């Protein structure tokens, strides 16, 4: 069988050599400023020593807004201080109203309009280099770092403004979120209805811009102005932004560090508290540390607000902590510095002792309490003695 296949191969060799090997040709690849261009409609091809490409993908990758007039067969790309216009079948194009001669006219094939790639690259002030061996075109355009930094900074500051103005939909309009946007908007609206916070960006630095991706470092301060109680805090974030169709969007926002902005003097300043509530709240803190000392995960959970599906994971984390560490807790100070009829904040100072090594540590925690159905519960806590 193998020999028969070889004989057949020899017999058709002449036919193979007699026709162009178009089917075996590698597809033409295009990259712009180091980023590959995807062509969802149509495939780049060579014509008269010119590479023709589907216009929309390239125009958008170059940050141009695309206009298509099907009636006249006219393609227009618009950017900052730049307008490029081409017409199907015409070897004349315009760049900012100046007529330019094309070596190949734009054409429409199978519903997709193709334009000469080199002309588009050079019209935007860039260069196009054709590599015959790899069948690829590398386009480099003069990227203005200052312009990109201004755009990136503008996106982050605008997102901050929308957050402060409680505009959830506008805020998520600046976020690169593939799915779940409606749910994310609803969650943020719930947050806005519960908390009144003003976040200021104290420091912002663009760390890197690499093609269509950028990273930004910020230092931000969150100050409570109303709503449910949260301590004022200082945060540092690392943002990742991506550029699509010429516009920058926030892709990720990773918390790097946080610290509570509360001095000991503020924490130890007693708030006026209803007598019955004061005793219950302080007793809740005492029972919390008693349960921690006895390594009673169920006892700790019983003192806290119920979070349903998360309780099993929280209990497992607590048990793992108890298995790994052997601490004793001595409550030195406890003060209610914020109080309303259904919420309170308690400042505590505790000495932790590692029973194995004998070493001691000082810890300052803020407990956030809520009263629900007449029962006080621990809802959250923050480390106020050091950065988290």
């Amino acid at each position: 069988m193998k020999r028969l296949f070889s004989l057949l191969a020899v017999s058709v060799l002449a036919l193979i050599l007699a026709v162009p090997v178009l089917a075996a040709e590698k597809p033409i690849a295009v990259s712009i400023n180091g980023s590959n261009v995807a062509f969802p409609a149509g495939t780049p091809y060579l014509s008269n020593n010119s590479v023709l490409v589907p216009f929309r993908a390239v125009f958008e990758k170059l940050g141009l807004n695309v206009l298509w007039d099907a009636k006249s067969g006219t393609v227009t790309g618009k950017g900052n201080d730049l307008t490029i216009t081409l017409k199907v079948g015409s070897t004349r194009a315009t760049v900012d109203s100046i007529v330019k001669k094309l070596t190949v006219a734009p054409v429409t094939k199978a519903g997709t309009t193709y334009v000469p790639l080199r002309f588009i690259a050079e019209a935007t002030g860039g260069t196009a280099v054709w590599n015959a061996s790899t069948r690829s075109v590398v386009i480099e355009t003069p990227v203005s770092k200052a312009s990109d930094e201004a755009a990136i900074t503008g996106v982050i500051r605008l997102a901050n403004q929308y957050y402060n103005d409680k505009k959830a939909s506008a805020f998520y309009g600046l976020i690169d979120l593939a799915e779940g946007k409606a749910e994310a908007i609803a969650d943020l609206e719930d947050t806005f209805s519960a908390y009144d916070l003003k976040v200021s960006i104290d420091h912002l630095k663009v760390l890197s811009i690499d093609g269509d991706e950028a990273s930004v470092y910020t230092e931000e301060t969150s100050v409570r102005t109303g709503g449910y109680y949260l301590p004022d805090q200082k945060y540092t974030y690392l943002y990742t932004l991506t550029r699509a169709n010429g516009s920058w969007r926030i892709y990720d926002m990773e918390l790097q560090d946080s610290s509570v902005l509360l001095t000991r003097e503020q924490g130890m300043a007693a708030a006026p508290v209803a007598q019955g509530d004061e005793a219950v709240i302080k007793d809740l803190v005492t029972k919390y540390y008693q349960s921690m000392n006895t390594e009673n995960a169920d006892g700790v959970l019983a003192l806290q607000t119920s979070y349903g599906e998360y309780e099993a994971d929280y209990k497992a984390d607590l048990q793992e902590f108890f298995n790994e560490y052997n601490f004793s807790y001595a409550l030195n100070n406890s003060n209610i510095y914020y109080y309303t009829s259904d919420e309170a904040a308690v400042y505590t100072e505790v000495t932790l002792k590692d029973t194995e090594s004998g070493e001691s540590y000082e810890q300052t925690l803020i407990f956030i309490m809520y009263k629900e159905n007449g029962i006080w519960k621990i809802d959250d806590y923050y480390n106020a003695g050091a950065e988290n």
Side-chain angles (χ1 to χ4, degrees), residues 215-230:
S215 61
V216 179
Y217 169 87
T218 66
E219 296 176 2
E220 306 180 20
T221 301
S222 174
V223 176
R224 174 182 175 268
T225 59
Y228 288 123
Y229 180 80
L230 283 178

Side-chain angles (χ1 to χ4, degrees), residues 45-53 86-93 100-109 114-120:
Y45 68 96
L46 275 171
S47 175
N48 195 25
N49 294 322
S50 294
V51 175
L52 279 83
V53 296
L86 306 94
K87 187 174 182 179
V88 172
S90 175
T91 56
R92 292 184 180 275
K100 301 285 186 178
K101 178 75 172 176
L102 302 176
T103 56
V104 178
V107 299
T108 297
K109 297 172 60 176
Y114 294 77
V115 296
L117 181 59
R118 182 180 296 277
F119 172 79
I120 302 302

Side-chain angles (χ1 to χ4, degrees), residues 135-158:
R135 289 179 61 80
S136 62
V137 182
V138 175
I139 295 174
E140 296 289 340
T141 62
V143 178
S144 171
K145 184 177 180 181
S147 176
D148 274 340
E149 285 190 356
I152 290 165
T153 299
V155 168
I156 293 177
R157 293 199 179 279
L158 186 58

Side-chain angles (χ1 to χ4, degrees), residues 16-300:
I16 294 176
L17 295 176
V19 296
V21 196
L22 296 178
E25 286 185 336
K26 182 180 178 181
I28 295 174
V30 177
S31 68
I32 298 178
N33 295 327
S35 179
N36 293 332
V37 182
F39 296 96
T43 303
Y45 68 96
L46 275 171
S47 175
N48 195 25
N49 294 322
S50 294
V51 175
L52 279 83
V53 296
F55 73 89
R56 186 175 297 277
V58 170
F59 274 30
E60 290 180 347
K61 196 72 171 179
L62 288 166
L64 302 174
N65 294 317
V66 180
L67 299 174
W68 165 247
D69 187 338
K71 186 176 181 180
S72 64
T74 302
V75 177
T76 303
K78 286 191 174 184
N80 294 330
D81 303 320
L82 177 66
T83 300
I84 304 171
T85 303
L86 306 94
K87 187 174 182 179
V88 172
S90 175
T91 56
R92 292 184 180 275
T94 60
V95 178
D96 292 334
S97 301
I98 300 174
V99 177
K100 301 285 186 178
K101 178 75 172 176
L102 302 176
T103 56
V104 178
V107 299
T108 297
K109 297 172 60 176
T112 298
T113 297
Y114 294 77
V115 296
L117 181 59
R118 182 180 296 277
F119 172 79
I120 302 302
E122 293 177 349
T124 56
T127 59
V129 178
W130 163 253
N131 188 321
S133 63
T134 61
R135 289 179 61 80
S136 62
V137 182
V138 175
I139 295 174
E140 296 289 340
T141 62
V143 178
S144 171
K145 184 177 180 181
S147 176
D148 274 340
E149 285 190 356
I152 290 165
T153 299
V155 168
I156 293 177
R157 293 199 179 279
L158 186 58
N160 173 254
Q161 178 184 324
Y162 287 151
Y163 185 92
N164 285 333
D165 292 342
K166 296 188 174 184
K167 296 180 177 179
S169 294
F171 176 85
Y172 271 102
L174 300 175
I175 308 298
D176 183 5
L177 195 61
E179 56 184 22
K181 181 169 286 190
E183 182 180 354
I185 291 173
D187 288 344
L188 187 56
E189 287 175 342
D190 288 342
T191 299
F192 288 156
S193 66
Y195 301 97
D196 292 329
L197 306 171
K198 292 298 179 185
V199 179
S200 62
I201 298 178
D202 308 316
H203 177 69
L204 186 155
K205 181 177 178 58
V206 179
L207 299 178
S208 66
I209 302 174
D210 185 8
D212 291 330
E213 184 170 302
S215 61
V216 179
Y217 169 87
T218 66
E219 296 176 2
E220 306 180 20
T221 301
S222 174
V223 176
R224 174 182 175 268
T225 59
Y228 288 123
Y229 180 80
L230 283 178
D232 297 343
Q233 295 185 76
K234 190 174 185 64
Y235 303 97
T236 59
Y237 287 103
L238 182 65
Y239 288 81
T240 300
L241 291 89
T242 57
R243 176 166 47 193
N245 301 331
S247 298
W248 288 99
R249 291 289 182 269
I250 297 171
Y251 179 77
D252 189 30
M253 181 179 174
E254 181 181 342
L255 178 65
Q256 301 290 294
D257 220 345
S258 67
S259 58
V260 172
L261 300 177
L262 185 79
T263 65
R264 186 177 190 277
E265 289 71 24
Q266 292 171 326
M268 291 300 291
V273 184
Q275 186 173 0
D277 282 342
E278 181 175 9
V280 172
I281 291 169
K282 287 194 173 183
D283 184 57
L284 195 58
V285 174
T286 299
K287 288 180 177 178
Y288 171 83
Y289 283 112
Q290 287 174 347
S291 295
M292 293 296 289
N293 277 325
T294 58
E295 298 187 349
N296 183 354
D298 288 322
V300 174

